[in-house]
Amino acid sequence: MHFVGFLVTLCVFVLTLQYLFFTVLSLVIFTWSVCKCSGTRIKTRKRNIAAPLDPAAFADAVVQIYLDNAGDLELIAKSIESAELNFSRYGDTFFEASTLVAFTGGRTQPGTTKPDEGERHPYSIIDCEPKREAILPSVIYIQKILRRRPFLIKNLENVTRRFLQSLELFEENERKKLAIFTALAFSQKLSGLPPETVFQPLLKDNLVGKGIVLSFITDFFKEYLIDNSLDDLIAILKRGKMEENLLDFFPSAKRSAEAFSEHFTKAGIVPLVEYFEKKIFEVKLKEMKTALTTQIAEETDISEVIETVKQHVKDAKLPDVEVVRILWDVMMDAVQWSGKNQQQNANAALRQVKTWAELLNSFCTSGKLELELLYKVQVQCYEDTKLMKLFPEFVRSLYDQDVLAEDTVLHWFRKGTNPKGRYTSLFLLMLLQSFVKALEPFVKWLEEAEEEE
């Protein structure tokens, strides 16, 4: 009885499996037939099979184009345009083998700029004369290539960076050609050469230490300034984050303002020297102004402040005239102005003059410097409306504190009211005359005292 029940159960199980199998098979056949009738393709998963890289064959093909066209860049550009080469994959190799190497005239070993085995052409930048006329056509040629294939811009940047980091592998004459090429590339506004691509890779310690970078950058500056202004050069230095770090091009033992001026003066780039010296001067003035501002705000003993100024003047060789102007600026900047209350402002400003008169007196050591101080006061009173009416009171206070001599005040009143022709419009001249008129009572008093003596 149990055995019969088992057979029945087994038969039912087998029939069920058979039913399920034929049901699934029917569905598969139906789906396949529908897809076939509608033209739908059943996609199968493909394996990721990468084509093997062969930069050597690509480089040889590019070099052969150079050789076939005997270095004629117009014909080469046309041949490159029609060539069935994989530029998107071998962009770096293209610039190494043809244009930038235009540098070596062939392909290079991986990670270096040393020529590898294979075909070479004799029409590279390295093989030409170190003159702009010989190198400029290559720059224009690259420009054409980039206009037609802008996706190569990144490759040009990569190759340029590698070459600049490997300058020591080139001879001095070859480095000069690369410097001329780079300068012309900037002059022609060649895409793919942002300033940071050129300047930052140069700052390798070994290249800087051997003086290779300084020689390269000097040739670059000289060539670039033939077609461009100093302002243009400063602009690309700013973009390359080098304007404030020009001394970084020098070996550490020669990294000084004196060495900079001597080197570039000898190289004939005097405008750059003047610009650099002006920047150094501005930095030194700013440093002194910052130190003075802190000491005056903290009400440091006046003798200590005087020593601080003297030390800055000595270290930076600051002109006496600039020192006097800065002293007045810092003194006035430290005044606690009280909005629209003119009387409080006047009292605070005059109190500041009296407090720091000894500081001014220590550096106004001649009639010329006293006159410069008077001009500075006059200019500030003109430019700052809250001080305009205080001019005669400032002059009187400076006289009382023995900062300004009587002769200085009288000279300004009679001859020197317009400092170096700074103000020429009729309105401004009338305004300056108002300063003269405001000072008339004090001058009259001085003249009467002089007559009595």
Side-chain angles (χ1 to χ4, degrees), residues 32-46:
W32 176 81
S33 61
V34 169
C35 290
K36 186 174 181 181
C37 292
S38 62
T40 304
R41 296 179 61 187
I42 301 176
K43 294 184 179 180
T44 57
R45 184 178 178 183
K46 295 182 180 179

Side-chain angles (χ1 to χ4, degrees), residues 22 69 225 404 447:
F22 282 109
N69 292 282
L225 288 171
L404 295 180
E447 290 174 337

Side-chain angles (χ1 to χ4, degrees), residues 299-310:
E299 297 183 352
T300 305
D301 185 80
I302 195 164
S303 60
E304 186 177 338
V305 178
I306 290 172
E307 286 305 313
T308 298
V309 176
K310 286 182 177 179

Side-chain angles (χ1 to χ4, degrees), residues 83-102:
E84 295 183 0
L85 297 172
N86 194 345
F87 291 96
S88 59
R89 172 166 288 190
Y90 301 113
D92 285 13
T93 306
F94 169 69
F95 283 113
E96 290 174 349
S98 62
T99 52
L100 256 183
V101 195

